Amino acid sequence: RLSHIPAVWRFFYEDKTMTVKTTATTTLKVSAGVPATFDSAGYAALSYTTVGEITNIGEFGREFNLVTHNPVATRGTQKLKGAFNDGQIALQMGLDTEDAGQVLMKAATLSDSLYAFLITTAAGPLDKYYFQGLVMGWKVGLNDVNSVTSATANIELSTSSTGVGIVEVLGA
């Protein structure tokens, strides 16, 4: 099975179990509050409401701005990390106007307050991602005759005043 891989590299591949998993059964929950402390215990103490009918959570994570410096004496570009942003999520779902989580998300668009979120993966060991964010938009999608009426909520992930952004609890 690994005969096409040179023997010197085979030890990297032998007896390895697959650690990737699907996003099936992943959930996103929302809380109208924010944690007292920006760690897993603070976030776990909150009460959350599951957002139903999600079809795509998308991607999120910290990304840094690039800062460059070009000294004329060396002509070389020096690169440094600048400010960071924890990203945004364009949460896609089938519209359910009676789903408590969707109702809370829509209401959050009318608020200037931060909300807390919890994403939990359910395939394999549970991974949890806690973060706070602003719900910046809620749009209803009425597409063609072969489509489900949809909604998109735009969430801007925020960072605490001490620089804590996404709190990961992996393999929980």
Side-chain angles (χ1 to χ4, degrees):
R1 163 180 119 159
L2 299 173
S3 59
H4 67 284
I5 299 173
V8 70
W9 293 103
R10 245 180 249 152
F11 71 94
F12 285 116
Y13 297 99
E14 293 175 349
D15 299 322
K16 295 287 181 182
T17 58
M18 189 166 72
T19 58
V20 297
K21 50 190 170 185
T22 70
T23 56
T25 67
T26 296
T27 60
L28 181 136
K29 297 179 181 183
V30 59
S31 175
V34 291
T37 58
F38 293 99
D39 55 16
S40 60
Y43 276 106
L46 296 173
S47 176
Y48 292 92
T49 303
T50 301
V51 179
E53 301 302 327
I54 294 174
T55 58
N56 190 339
I57 294 174
E59 61 181 22
F60 56 91
R62 184 165 287 183
E63 186 171 6
F64 289 83
N65 289 330
L66 175 64
V67 176
T68 60
H69 174 64
N70 297 92
V72 293
T74 62
R75 297 174 38 169
T77 301
Q78 297 174 8
K79 296 181 180 181
L80 307 161
K81 285 183 176 180
F84 61 83
N85 186 327
D86 282 326
Q88 67 177 357
I89 293 175
L91 186 66
Q92 299 171 6
M93 61 205 96
L95 180 63
D96 181 351
T97 57
E98 296 179 15
D99 179 81
Q102 288 192 23
V103 170
L104 185 55
M105 292 288 291
K106 185 177 179 183
T109 63
L110 302 176
S111 173
D112 289 340
S113 297
L114 291 166
Y115 282 61
F117 296 88
L118 166 60
I119 296 174
T120 304
T121 64
L126 297 179
D127 292 336
K128 294 182 179 184
Y129 301 91
Y130 295 102
F131 55 90
Q132 59 182 351
L134 296 167
V135 181
M136 301 299 288
W138 178 270
K139 294 182 181 180
V140 174
L142 301 168
N143 298 306
D144 65 36
V145 70
N146 294 314
S147 298
V148 170
T149 301
S150 63
T152 302
N154 293 311
I155 306 166
E156 287 288 340
L157 282 64
S158 186
T159 305
S160 74
S161 60
T162 59
V164 177
I166 301 162
V167 175
E168 297 180 342
V169 181
L170 303 178

